[in-house]
Amino acid sequence: NAGVTQTPKFHILKIGQSMTLQCTQDMNHNYMYWYRQDPGMGLKLIYYSVGAGITDKGEVPNGYNVSRSTTEDFPLRLELAAPSQTSVYFCASSYGTAGEETQYFGPGTRLLVL
Amino acid sequence: GQNIDQPTEMTATEGAIVQINCTYQTSGFNGLFWYQQHAGEAPTFLSYNVLDGLEEKGRFSSFLSRSKGYSYLLLKELQMKDSASYLCAVVNTNAGKSTFGDGTTLTVKP
């Protein structure tokens, strides 16, 4: 049982380029989330999904897109990368409804946009 | 909207007790989580409170007062490995969404 896995661990992106951050969970969780964490700050919710085929915006969705074609996978797409998107990105999943259950986090992807 | 406040930094001595406070204002409340995050690592679950009162789990306890919009995390018998950031997260009534505070960085000194 690997839990939540994320790839890549670290990436340098040029301004204007696009990329997809991968997230997979093997716990059969309904809910999945993408957060970004800037230095010294808490987690900001980018997008979340309550099940396959259903996604919704969080606090800071601009510049990002997501899809949820399967229960296991929840990729995050960055279009036209900007320096403001330099951050650590965490994917998380949980089983229960209404966010009442513990979120399990992946190890994070450190992204640098230059 | 939601507003969550935690102290930015705290320092304590090995073997001591420390209390980390979290106050929140939210339009809908459905529970509060505490997570621990070591530098360069992902957050990990510590506790979840939905009802008023104290939940004890070994060296860590968490308290909630819904009427006051207040929670605290109590760490006893501090160890050096407790040096980390502690994140308070409020679950609101919109399904599946939590809002995180900016975290409190705890430094435990010998």
Side-chain angles (χ1 to χ4, degrees):
Chain A
N1 197 339
V4 181
T5 57
Q6 293 182 237
T7 56
K9 285 187 168 50
F10 176 71
H11 193 81
I12 299 175
L13 202 57
K14 291 184 179 177
I15 295 171
Q17 286 185 329
S18 300
M19 79 168 293
T20 299
L21 308 186
Q22 301 293 343
C23 175
T24 300
Q25 54 92 7
D26 62 0
M27 297 175 282
N28 201 32
H29 283 171
N30 296 321
Y31 290 77
M32 294 188 76
Y33 316 81
W34 273 106
Y35 295 92
R36 60 177 287 172
Q37 187 175 35
D38 298 330
M41 305 293 284
L43 300 167
K44 302 293 183 190
L45 184 64
I46 305 171
Y47 271 96
Y48 69 104
S49 169
V50 302
I54 307 169
T55 63
D56 206 349
K57 295 178 181 178
E59 300 171 72
V60 290
N62 292 344
Y64 307 95
N65 271 303
V66 293
S67 59
R68 183 98 181 269
S69 56
T70 66
T71 299
E72 295 78 19
D73 299 306
F74 191 40
L76 177 72
R77 178 90 178 152
L78 280 74
E79 304 282 1
L80 298 174
S84 61
Q85 293 179 302
T86 293
S87 190
V88 180
Y89 291 85
F90 288 104
C91 177
S93 71
S94 64
Y95 179 75
T97 59
E100 294 171 357
E101 296 289 328
T102 302
Q103 293 183 55
Y104 294 87
F105 287 83
T109 294
R110 283 151 183 78
L111 180 67
L112 182 60
V113 181
L114 297 173
Chain B
Q2 296 190 108
N3 190 32
I4 301 173
D5 287 312
Q6 304 179 234
T8 304
E9 294 179 336
M10 298 184 73
T11 303
T13 304
E14 193 175 14
I17 299 173
V18 71
Q19 177 175 312
I20 302 174
N21 296 325
C22 171
T23 58
Y24 62 88
Q25 294 171 315
T26 181
S27 54
F29 179 83
N30 208 26
L32 187 144
F33 285 93
W34 284 97
Y35 289 86
Q36 180 189 59
Q37 185 178 25
H38 285 102
E41 297 183 9
T44 55
F45 169 80
L46 285 178
S47 68
Y48 175 61
N49 294 70
V50 64
L51 300 176
D52 285 356
L54 187 68
E55 297 269 348
E56 296 187 76
K57 240 187 228 184
R59 293 191 301 115
F60 292 7
S61 303
S62 56
F63 171 83
L64 176 67
S65 169
R66 294 175 67 133
S67 61
K68 295 182 179 176
Y70 169 67
S71 173
Y72 67 72
L73 181 69
L74 191 71
L75 291 76
K76 302 176 186 174
E77 301 169 16
L78 280 172
Q79 301 175 8
M80 299 298 289
K81 67 178 182 180
D82 297 330
S83 292
S85 183
Y86 291 86
L87 305 172
C88 166
V90 173
V91 183
N92 64 27
T93 52
N94 292 322
K97 290 174 69 172
S98 295
T99 300
F100 283 78
D102 287 340
T104 299
T105 300
L106 174 66
T107 302
V108 180
K109 296 187 173 179

